[in-house]
């Protein structure tokens, strides 16, 4: 059993879970829009830090097919992006949980990711596009 940091809530926990991947959705300059017009894929690779995982609560959400969509402040480089997975400073505090299938429809989203980080404009578009999911 190793100590891990939950990529969603940033709580430390002890567990034997595998490291999780998180991905950023970025629709800026070098990515052409996808056919659905909401988001494009990311030019940045997923963050795969060995000490990141999902606490029991967020692992349960992931097992139920939900993905955490976490809003982050604008990042200028790969180092800043890598830091948002393990530090609260890069996060705005806004988060949605959406069905994985919906996130995959909105974006070029790797199917095994537990969390998605996106900047404010992208987060707002996801929020608007998903407003009827839970009604």
């Amino acid at each position: 059993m190793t100590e891990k940091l939950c990529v969603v809530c940033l709580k430390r926990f002890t567990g034997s879970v595998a490291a999780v991947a998180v991905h950023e959705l970025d629709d800026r300059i070098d990515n052409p829009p996808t056919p659905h017009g909401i988001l494009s894929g990311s030019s940045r690779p997923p963050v795969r830090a060995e000490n990141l995982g999902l606490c029991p609560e967020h692992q349960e959400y992931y097992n139920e097919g939900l993905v955490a969509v976490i809003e982050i402040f604008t990042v200028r480089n790969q180092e800043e992006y890598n830091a948002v997975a393990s530090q609260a400073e890069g996060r705005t505090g806004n988060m949605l949980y959406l069905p994985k299938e919906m996130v995959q429809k909105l974006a070029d989203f790797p199917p095994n990711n537990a969390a998605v980080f996106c900047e404010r404009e992208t987060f707002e578009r996801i929020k608007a596009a998903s407003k009827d999911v839970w009604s």
Side-chain angles (χ1 to χ4, degrees):
M1 300 269 257
T2 344
E3 185 173 87
K4 300 264 186 191
L5 180 70
C6 180
V7 73
V8 177
C9 66
L10 299 176
K11 291 180 183 172
R12 296 208 173 274
F13 67 99
T14 304
S16 58
V17 298
V20 298
V22 298
H23 199 75
E24 184 201 20
L25 298 178
D26 181 2
D27 62 346
R28 290 179 292 176
I29 47 183
D30 55 357
N31 295 315
T34 50
H36 43 68
I38 301 290
L39 301 172
S40 64
S42 174
S43 59
R44 296 184 182 111
V47 173
R48 295 181 192 276
E50 291 302 313
N51 67 332
L52 296 176
L54 293 172
C55 67
E57 176 186 0
H58 292 111
Q59 181 67 48
E60 187 175 322
Y61 290 156
Y62 179 70
N63 292 347
E64 292 173 6
L66 298 174
V67 171
V69 180
I70 302 167
E71 183 183 30
I72 59 172
F73 294 108
T74 301
V75 293
R76 294 178 297 274
N77 56 46
Q78 183 67 42
E79 292 76 31
E80 286 181 8
Y81 171 65
N82 289 345
V84 301
S86 59
Q87 298 176 14
E89 290 82 21
R91 301 174 184 211
T92 66
N94 295 325
M95 183 178 81
L96 299 168
Y97 254 107
L98 296 174
K100 180 171 44 173
E101 296 78 21
M102 175 167 214
V103 177
Q104 288 175 315
K105 285 180 186 176
L106 295 174
D108 179 19
F109 175 70
N112 295 325
N113 282 12
V116 175
F117 292 112
C118 53
E119 293 173 354
R120 176 161 283 136
E121 185 177 321
T122 304
F123 184 85
E124 290 301 321
R125 285 195 304 232
I126 291 173
K127 188 175 167 183
S130 63
K131 66 180 178 170
D132 297 327
V133 170
W134 306 116
S135 55

